[in-house]
Amino acid sequence: MTTQTFTPLVPPFLLAPPGVYRPQHDTRLLARALNREFMNSGTRVLELGTGSGALALEAARRGARVTAVDISRRAVLTARFNAMIARRRVTVRRGDLTGAVAGQSYDLVISNPPYVPSPDAHPPRKGAARAWDAGHDGRILVDRICDAAPAVLRPTGALLVVHSGLCGVDATLDRLAGAGMAAVVTDRAMVPFGPVLRSRLPWLRRTGLLGDEAEEELVVIRAEHA
């Protein structure tokens, strides 16, 4: 397991209009984990919640056959545009997680889902916050991915998911174990609080989700069929 500190890297060609998640620290941390995975022209990769398509493009750059899914129409159009500009072959579908790829199986599933705890119990249906808000504990999408990803993974496949320590690392490991997966934390990074977390510090501390920490921990979890 590696612990890293870094500043975000955004490829200069990447479009990320308002309402589409712009690559940040979590994107880069997951990209580093992704680049440790074996890939060739026969590797099938699925990205759940692609946003701008940055991670899907990284997998395509490695030669994999990539399908990217997002529920946001704007994100789907953005990812398609970015793939065209980068001259990478990525299939981008609009849909709700693995529901968009029924009957398909993959060697690698990757996801940087919304995971920020919110005072609102339910995630927003529209607007920019749709890309990060995930209910009171930040786990609405994380839990759904833990439950759904094993069914689309090939027997030797792997899941890579990144999220904040605020929404519970052990909870993710336990959830994946309950789905028949062997999961470990492969990467950690401490990053400054972003504007969303800074705006919620009083609520986060009042609810006990955050103590007196001055930074946020990000983790990448890798899981395989047990």
PDB file of all heavy atoms in Angstrom, residues 10 20-21 43 66 70 80 87 107 110 122 128 130 137-138 151 154 159-160 165 174 190 197 199 201 210 212 216-217:
ATOM      1  N   VAL A  10      -4.706  17.683 -14.621  1.00  0.00           N
ATOM      2  CA  VAL A  10      -5.790  17.662 -15.584  1.00  0.00           C
ATOM      3  C   VAL A  10      -5.189  17.705 -16.972  1.00  0.00           C
ATOM      4  O   VAL A  10      -4.477  18.656 -17.308  1.00  0.00           O
ATOM      5  CB  VAL A  10      -6.740  18.864 -15.390  1.00  0.00           C
ATOM      6  CG1 VAL A  10      -7.844  18.820 -16.438  1.00  0.00           C
ATOM      7  CG2 VAL A  10      -7.327  18.860 -13.991  1.00  0.00           C
ATOM      8  N   VAL A  20     -20.238  18.771 -14.840  1.00  0.00           N
ATOM      9  CA  VAL A  20     -19.484  17.535 -15.071  1.00  0.00           C
ATOM     10  C   VAL A  20     -18.253  17.565 -14.170  1.00  0.00           C
ATOM     11  O   VAL A  20     -17.525  18.564 -14.144  1.00  0.00           O
ATOM     12  CB  VAL A  20     -19.062  17.386 -16.547  1.00  0.00           C
ATOM     13  CG1 VAL A  20     -18.188  16.150 -16.739  1.00  0.00           C
ATOM     14  CG2 VAL A  20     -20.293  17.310 -17.441  1.00  0.00           C
ATOM     15  N   TYR A  21     -18.013  16.467 -13.449  1.00  0.00           N
ATOM     16  CA  TYR A  21     -16.924  16.429 -12.478  1.00  0.00           C
ATOM     17  C   TYR A  21     -15.573  16.620 -13.159  1.00  0.00           C
ATOM     18  O   TYR A  21     -15.220  15.901 -14.087  1.00  0.00           O
ATOM     19  CB  TYR A  21     -16.934  15.094 -11.736  1.00  0.00           C
ATOM     20  CG  TYR A  21     -15.970  15.033 -10.578  1.00  0.00           C
ATOM     21  CD1 TYR A  21     -16.214  15.756  -9.419  1.00  0.00           C
ATOM     22  CD2 TYR A  21     -14.822  14.244 -10.639  1.00  0.00           C
ATOM     23  CE1 TYR A  21     -15.337  15.699  -8.349  1.00  0.00           C
ATOM     24  CE2 TYR A  21     -13.945  14.179  -9.575  1.00  0.00           C
ATOM     25  CZ  TYR A  21     -14.202  14.909  -8.435  1.00  0.00           C
ATOM     26  OH  TYR A  21     -13.340  14.862  -7.382  1.00  0.00           O
ATOM     27  N   THR A  43      -8.250  -6.728 -23.074  1.00  0.00           N
ATOM     28  CA  THR A  43      -8.765  -6.383 -21.753  1.00  0.00           C
ATOM     29  C   THR A  43     -10.029  -5.538 -21.884  1.00  0.00           C
ATOM     30  O   THR A  43     -10.030  -4.516 -22.566  1.00  0.00           O
ATOM     31  CB  THR A  43      -7.720  -5.614 -20.938  1.00  0.00           C
ATOM     32  OG1 THR A  43      -6.510  -6.373 -20.864  1.00  0.00           O
ATOM     33  CG2 THR A  43      -8.220  -5.337 -19.531  1.00  0.00           C
ATOM     34  N   VAL A  66     -12.751  -0.204 -23.810  1.00  0.00           N
ATOM     35  CA  VAL A  66     -13.336   0.509 -22.681  1.00  0.00           C
ATOM     36  C   VAL A  66     -14.792   0.874 -22.942  1.00  0.00           C
ATOM     37  O   VAL A  66     -15.133   1.392 -24.008  1.00  0.00           O
ATOM     38  CB  VAL A  66     -12.537   1.795 -22.368  1.00  0.00           C
ATOM     39  CG1 VAL A  66     -13.107   2.479 -21.129  1.00  0.00           C
ATOM     40  CG2 VAL A  66     -11.058   1.469 -22.177  1.00  0.00           C
ATOM     41  N   ASP A  70     -22.452   6.708 -17.500  1.00  0.00           N
ATOM     42  CA  ASP A  70     -22.835   7.790 -16.593  1.00  0.00           C
ATOM     43  C   ASP A  70     -24.327   8.022 -16.744  1.00  0.00           C
ATOM     44  O   ASP A  70     -24.889   7.853 -17.832  1.00  0.00           O
ATOM     45  CB  ASP A  70     -22.064   9.080 -16.890  1.00  0.00           C
ATOM     46  CG  ASP A  70     -21.937   9.960 -15.652  1.00  0.00           C
ATOM     47  OD1 ASP A  70     -22.977  10.483 -15.181  1.00  0.00           O
ATOM     48  OD2 ASP A  70     -20.824  10.128 -15.142  1.00  0.00           O
ATOM     49  N   ARG A  80     -17.815  11.534 -24.564  1.00  0.00           N
ATOM     50  CA  ARG A  80     -17.716  11.228 -25.996  1.00  0.00           C
ATOM     51  C   ARG A  80     -16.864  12.264 -26.722  1.00  0.00           C
ATOM     52  O   ARG A  80     -16.030  11.913 -27.577  1.00  0.00           O
ATOM     53  CB  ARG A  80     -19.110  11.165 -26.609  1.00  0.00           C
ATOM     54  CG  ARG A  80     -19.896   9.919 -26.221  1.00  0.00           C
ATOM     55  CD  ARG A  80     -21.315   9.970 -26.736  1.00  0.00           C
ATOM     56  NE  ARG A  80     -22.041   8.744 -26.394  1.00  0.00           N
ATOM     57  CZ  ARG A  80     -23.363   8.620 -26.480  1.00  0.00           C
ATOM     58  NH1 ARG A  80     -24.109   9.642 -26.896  1.00  0.00           N
ATOM     59  NH2 ARG A  80     -23.940   7.473 -26.163  1.00  0.00           N
ATOM     60  N   ARG A  87      -8.726  10.997 -29.690  1.00  0.00           N
ATOM     61  CA  ARG A  87      -8.605   9.920 -30.684  1.00  0.00           C
ATOM     62  C   ARG A  87      -8.446   8.569 -30.010  1.00  0.00           C
ATOM     63  O   ARG A  87      -7.621   7.736 -30.391  1.00  0.00           O
ATOM     64  CB  ARG A  87      -7.452  10.196 -31.650  1.00  0.00           C
ATOM     65  CG  ARG A  87      -7.643  11.476 -32.467  1.00  0.00           C
ATOM     66  CD  ARG A  87      -6.520  11.694 -33.446  1.00  0.00           C
ATOM     67  NE  ARG A  87      -6.728  12.939 -34.214  1.00  0.00           N
ATOM     68  CZ  ARG A  87      -5.891  13.396 -35.136  1.00  0.00           C
ATOM     69  NH1 ARG A  87      -4.776  12.721 -35.417  1.00  0.00           N
ATOM     70  NH2 ARG A  87      -6.150  14.516 -35.778  1.00  0.00           N
ATOM     71  N   ASP A 107     -12.987  -7.419 -17.383  1.00  0.00           N
ATOM     72  CA  ASP A 107     -11.780  -7.784 -16.653  1.00  0.00           C
ATOM     73  C   ASP A 107     -11.474  -6.793 -15.537  1.00  0.00           C
ATOM     74  O   ASP A 107     -10.827  -7.142 -14.546  1.00  0.00           O
ATOM     75  CB  ASP A 107     -10.578  -7.833 -17.605  1.00  0.00           C
ATOM     76  CG  ASP A 107     -10.785  -8.833 -18.723  1.00  0.00           C
ATOM     77  OD1 ASP A 107     -10.801 -10.039 -18.440  1.00  0.00           O
ATOM     78  OD2 ASP A 107     -10.954  -8.402 -19.884  1.00  0.00           O
ATOM     79  N   ILE A 110     -13.784   0.076 -12.840  1.00  0.00           N
ATOM     80  CA  ILE A 110     -13.215   1.199 -12.093  1.00  0.00           C
ATOM     81  C   ILE A 110     -14.310   2.219 -11.803  1.00  0.00           C
ATOM     82  O   ILE A 110     -15.259   2.357 -12.580  1.00  0.00           O
ATOM     83  CB  ILE A 110     -12.041   1.867 -12.857  1.00  0.00           C
ATOM     84  CG1 ILE A 110     -12.509   2.408 -14.215  1.00  0.00           C
ATOM     85  CG2 ILE A 110     -10.902   0.887 -13.028  1.00  0.00           C
ATOM     86  CD1 ILE A 110     -11.435   3.189 -14.974  1.00  0.00           C
ATOM     87  N   HIS A 122     -30.918  12.269   0.472  1.00  0.00           N
ATOM     88  CA  HIS A 122     -30.956  11.710  -0.872  1.00  0.00           C
ATOM     89  C   HIS A 122     -30.088  12.527  -1.811  1.00  0.00           C
ATOM     90  O   HIS A 122     -30.034  13.755  -1.711  1.00  0.00           O
ATOM     91  CB  HIS A 122     -32.393  11.680  -1.389  1.00  0.00           C
ATOM     92  CG  HIS A 122     -33.327  10.903  -0.503  1.00  0.00           C
ATOM     93  ND1 HIS A 122     -33.292   9.537  -0.410  1.00  0.00           N
ATOM     94  CD2 HIS A 122     -34.304  11.329   0.347  1.00  0.00           C
ATOM     95  CE1 HIS A 122     -34.206   9.133   0.454  1.00  0.00           C
ATOM     96  NE2 HIS A 122     -34.838  10.200   0.921  1.00  0.00           N
ATOM     97  N   ALA A 128     -24.741  20.513 -10.301  1.00  0.00           N
ATOM     98  CA  ALA A 128     -23.349  20.119 -10.138  1.00  0.00           C
ATOM     99  C   ALA A 128     -23.136  19.157  -8.972  1.00  0.00           C
ATOM    100  O   ALA A 128     -22.305  18.252  -9.036  1.00  0.00           O
ATOM    101  CB  ALA A 128     -22.489  21.362  -9.957  1.00  0.00           C
ATOM    102  N   ARG A 130     -24.681  16.740  -8.056  1.00  0.00           N
ATOM    103  CA  ARG A 130     -24.945  15.342  -8.408  1.00  0.00           C
ATOM    104  C   ARG A 130     -23.651  14.539  -8.556  1.00  0.00           C
ATOM    105  O   ARG A 130     -23.638  13.324  -8.384  1.00  0.00           O
ATOM    106  CB  ARG A 130     -25.709  15.321  -9.733  1.00  0.00           C
ATOM    107  CG  ARG A 130     -26.325  14.004 -10.112  1.00  0.00           C
ATOM    108  CD  ARG A 130     -27.013  14.157 -11.462  1.00  0.00           C
ATOM    109  NE  ARG A 130     -27.921  13.073 -11.737  1.00  0.00           N
ATOM    110  CZ  ARG A 130     -28.601  12.945 -12.867  1.00  0.00           C
ATOM    111  NH1 ARG A 130     -28.457  13.856 -13.827  1.00  0.00           N
ATOM    112  NH2 ARG A 130     -29.405  11.931 -13.059  1.00  0.00           N
ATOM    113  N   ASP A 137     -24.213   9.627   4.872  1.00  0.00           N
ATOM    114  CA  ASP A 137     -22.935   8.978   5.162  1.00  0.00           C
ATOM    115  C   ASP A 137     -22.025   8.889   3.944  1.00  0.00           C
ATOM    116  O   ASP A 137     -20.925   8.329   4.027  1.00  0.00           O
ATOM    117  CB  ASP A 137     -23.152   7.582   5.748  1.00  0.00           C
ATOM    118  CG  ASP A 137     -23.962   6.666   4.833  1.00  0.00           C
ATOM    119  OD1 ASP A 137     -24.288   7.091   3.697  1.00  0.00           O
ATOM    120  OD2 ASP A 137     -24.268   5.538   5.252  1.00  0.00           O
ATOM    121  N   GLY A 138     -22.466   9.424   2.801  1.00  0.00           N
ATOM    122  CA  GLY A 138     -21.645   9.397   1.595  1.00  0.00           C
ATOM    123  C   GLY A 138     -21.570   8.045   0.913  1.00  0.00           C
ATOM    124  O   GLY A 138     -20.751   7.852   0.016  1.00  0.00           O
ATOM    125  N   ALA A 151     -21.076  -8.868 -10.118  1.00  0.00           N
ATOM    126  CA  ALA A 151     -21.860  -9.595 -11.118  1.00  0.00           C
ATOM    127  C   ALA A 151     -21.356  -9.368 -12.539  1.00  0.00           C
ATOM    128  O   ALA A 151     -21.639 -10.183 -13.425  1.00  0.00           O
ATOM    129  CB  ALA A 151     -23.332  -9.196 -11.014  1.00  0.00           C
ATOM    130  N   ARG A 154     -15.424 -10.670 -14.514  1.00  0.00           N
ATOM    131  CA  ARG A 154     -15.023 -12.010 -14.884  1.00  0.00           C
ATOM    132  C   ARG A 154     -14.335 -12.684 -13.688  1.00  0.00           C
ATOM    133  O   ARG A 154     -13.913 -12.007 -12.752  1.00  0.00           O
ATOM    134  CB  ARG A 154     -14.103 -11.954 -16.098  1.00  0.00           C
ATOM    135  CG  ARG A 154     -14.846 -11.506 -17.351  1.00  0.00           C
ATOM    136  CD  ARG A 154     -13.949 -11.311 -18.542  1.00  0.00           C
ATOM    137  NE  ARG A 154     -14.744 -11.065 -19.751  1.00  0.00           N
ATOM    138  CZ  ARG A 154     -14.229 -10.746 -20.940  1.00  0.00           C
ATOM    139  NH1 ARG A 154     -12.913 -10.634 -21.085  1.00  0.00           N
ATOM    140  NH2 ARG A 154     -15.032 -10.552 -21.972  1.00  0.00           N
ATOM    141  N   LEU A 159     -12.006  -5.041  -9.242  1.00  0.00           N
ATOM    142  CA  LEU A 159     -12.684  -3.759  -9.058  1.00  0.00           C
ATOM    143  C   LEU A 159     -11.716  -2.790  -8.414  1.00  0.00           C
ATOM    144  O   LEU A 159     -11.036  -3.132  -7.449  1.00  0.00           O
ATOM    145  CB  LEU A 159     -13.903  -3.933  -8.153  1.00  0.00           C
ATOM    146  CG  LEU A 159     -14.541  -2.659  -7.587  1.00  0.00           C
ATOM    147  CD1 LEU A 159     -15.217  -1.843  -8.696  1.00  0.00           C
ATOM    148  CD2 LEU A 159     -15.545  -3.007  -6.483  1.00  0.00           C
ATOM    149  N   LEU A 160     -11.652  -1.563  -8.939  1.00  0.00           N
ATOM    150  CA  LEU A 160     -10.904  -0.466  -8.324  1.00  0.00           C
ATOM    151  C   LEU A 160     -11.880   0.668  -8.057  1.00  0.00           C
ATOM    152  O   LEU A 160     -12.519   1.174  -8.985  1.00  0.00           O
ATOM    153  CB  LEU A 160      -9.790   0.031  -9.246  1.00  0.00           C
ATOM    154  CG  LEU A 160      -8.628  -0.897  -9.549  1.00  0.00           C
ATOM    155  CD1 LEU A 160      -7.712  -0.256 -10.592  1.00  0.00           C
ATOM    156  CD2 LEU A 160      -7.836  -1.210  -8.279  1.00  0.00           C
ATOM    157  N   GLY A 165     -12.089   8.742   3.058  1.00  0.00           N
ATOM    158  CA  GLY A 165     -12.159   8.041   4.325  1.00  0.00           C
ATOM    159  C   GLY A 165     -13.363   8.458   5.147  1.00  0.00           C
ATOM    160  O   GLY A 165     -13.780   7.730   6.055  1.00  0.00           O
ATOM    161  N   ASP A 174     -16.006  -4.385   4.233  1.00  0.00           N
ATOM    162  CA  ASP A 174     -16.994  -5.348   4.735  1.00  0.00           C
ATOM    163  C   ASP A 174     -18.091  -5.591   3.708  1.00  0.00           C
ATOM    164  O   ASP A 174     -18.553  -6.736   3.538  1.00  0.00           O
ATOM    165  CB  ASP A 174     -17.616  -4.836   6.038  1.00  0.00           C
ATOM    166  CG  ASP A 174     -16.645  -4.840   7.214  1.00  0.00           C
ATOM    167  OD1 ASP A 174     -15.591  -5.510   7.112  1.00  0.00           O
ATOM    168  OD2 ASP A 174     -16.928  -4.152   8.213  1.00  0.00           O
ATOM    169  N   MET A 190      -3.376  11.968   1.502  1.00  0.00           N
ATOM    170  CA  MET A 190      -3.956  13.057   2.288  1.00  0.00           C
ATOM    171  C   MET A 190      -3.986  14.303   1.398  1.00  0.00           C
ATOM    172  O   MET A 190      -2.963  14.684   0.822  1.00  0.00           O
ATOM    173  CB  MET A 190      -3.132  13.316   3.539  1.00  0.00           C
ATOM    174  CG  MET A 190      -3.022  12.121   4.475  1.00  0.00           C
ATOM    175  SD  MET A 190      -4.626  11.479   5.039  1.00  0.00           S
ATOM    176  CE  MET A 190      -5.258  12.910   5.967  1.00  0.00           C
ATOM    177  N   LEU A 197     -16.275  20.388   1.067  1.00  0.00           N
ATOM    178  CA  LEU A 197     -16.051  19.969   2.455  1.00  0.00           C
ATOM    179  C   LEU A 197     -15.853  21.166   3.376  1.00  0.00           C
ATOM    180  O   LEU A 197     -16.345  21.169   4.512  1.00  0.00           O
ATOM    181  CB  LEU A 197     -14.851  19.026   2.538  1.00  0.00           C
ATOM    182  CG  LEU A 197     -15.079  17.571   2.117  1.00  0.00           C
ATOM    183  CD1 LEU A 197     -13.832  16.745   2.398  1.00  0.00           C
ATOM    184  CD2 LEU A 197     -16.275  16.966   2.830  1.00  0.00           C
ATOM    185  N   SER A 199     -17.183  24.004   3.185  1.00  0.00           N
ATOM    186  CA  SER A 199     -18.494  24.613   3.448  1.00  0.00           C
ATOM    187  C   SER A 199     -19.319  23.786   4.433  1.00  0.00           C
ATOM    188  O   SER A 199     -20.261  24.297   5.029  1.00  0.00           O
ATOM    189  CB  SER A 199     -19.268  24.789   2.143  1.00  0.00           C
ATOM    190  OG  SER A 199     -19.711  23.544   1.639  1.00  0.00           O
ATOM    191  N   LEU A 201     -17.867  21.865   7.039  1.00  0.00           N
ATOM    192  CA  LEU A 201     -17.089  21.474   8.211  1.00  0.00           C
ATOM    193  C   LEU A 201     -17.906  21.499   9.505  1.00  0.00           C
ATOM    194  O   LEU A 201     -17.841  20.539  10.293  1.00  0.00           O
ATOM    195  CB  LEU A 201     -15.854  22.362   8.339  1.00  0.00           C
ATOM    196  CG  LEU A 201     -14.702  22.053   7.372  1.00  0.00           C
ATOM    197  CD1 LEU A 201     -13.559  23.033   7.578  1.00  0.00           C
ATOM    198  CD2 LEU A 201     -14.205  20.621   7.541  1.00  0.00           C
ATOM    199  N   LEU A 210     -16.312  13.936  11.071  1.00  0.00           N
ATOM    200  CA  LEU A 210     -14.998  14.565  10.999  1.00  0.00           C
ATOM    201  C   LEU A 210     -14.622  15.092  12.364  1.00  0.00           C
ATOM    202  O   LEU A 210     -15.471  15.670  13.059  1.00  0.00           O
ATOM    203  CB  LEU A 210     -15.028  15.700   9.965  1.00  0.00           C
ATOM    204  CG  LEU A 210     -13.707  16.354   9.582  1.00  0.00           C
ATOM    205  CD1 LEU A 210     -12.820  15.359   8.840  1.00  0.00           C
ATOM    206  CD2 LEU A 210     -13.960  17.565   8.698  1.00  0.00           C
ATOM    207  N   ASP A 212     -10.914  16.832  14.271  1.00  0.00           N
ATOM    208  CA  ASP A 212     -10.158  18.066  14.101  1.00  0.00           C
ATOM    209  C   ASP A 212      -9.139  17.963  12.979  1.00  0.00           C
ATOM    210  O   ASP A 212      -8.183  18.737  12.903  1.00  0.00           O
ATOM    211  CB  ASP A 212      -9.461  18.458  15.409  1.00  0.00           C
ATOM    212  CG  ASP A 212      -8.526  17.350  15.914  1.00  0.00           C
ATOM    213  OD1 ASP A 212      -8.427  16.299  15.246  1.00  0.00           O
ATOM    214  OD2 ASP A 212      -7.916  17.560  16.978  1.00  0.00           O
ATOM    215  N   GLU A 216      -8.211  15.711   4.183  1.00  0.00           N
ATOM    216  CA  GLU A 216      -9.079  14.577   3.878  1.00  0.00           C
ATOM    217  C   GLU A 216      -8.228  13.400   3.396  1.00  0.00           C
ATOM    218  O   GLU A 216      -7.309  13.589   2.598  1.00  0.00           O
ATOM    219  CB  GLU A 216     -10.067  14.975   2.788  1.00  0.00           C
ATOM    220  CG  GLU A 216     -11.003  13.855   2.339  1.00  0.00           C
ATOM    221  CD  GLU A 216     -11.852  14.247   1.143  1.00  0.00           C
ATOM    222  OE1 GLU A 216     -11.542  15.269   0.493  1.00  0.00           O
ATOM    223  OE2 GLU A 216     -12.823  13.531   0.860  1.00  0.00           O
ATOM    224  N   GLU A 217      -8.552  12.205   3.856  1.00  0.00           N
ATOM    225  CA  GLU A 217      -7.878  11.015   3.354  1.00  0.00           C
ATOM    226  C   GLU A 217      -8.680  10.419   2.207  1.00  0.00           C
ATOM    227  O   GLU A 217      -9.892  10.233   2.307  1.00  0.00           O
ATOM    228  CB  GLU A 217      -7.718   9.964   4.445  1.00  0.00           C
ATOM    229  CG  GLU A 217      -6.972   8.725   3.950  1.00  0.00           C
ATOM    230  CD  GLU A 217      -6.866   7.633   4.979  1.00  0.00           C
ATOM    231  OE1 GLU A 217      -7.892   7.300   5.607  1.00  0.00           O
ATOM    232  OE2 GLU A 217      -5.751   7.105   5.159  1.00  0.00           O
TER     233      GLU A 217
END
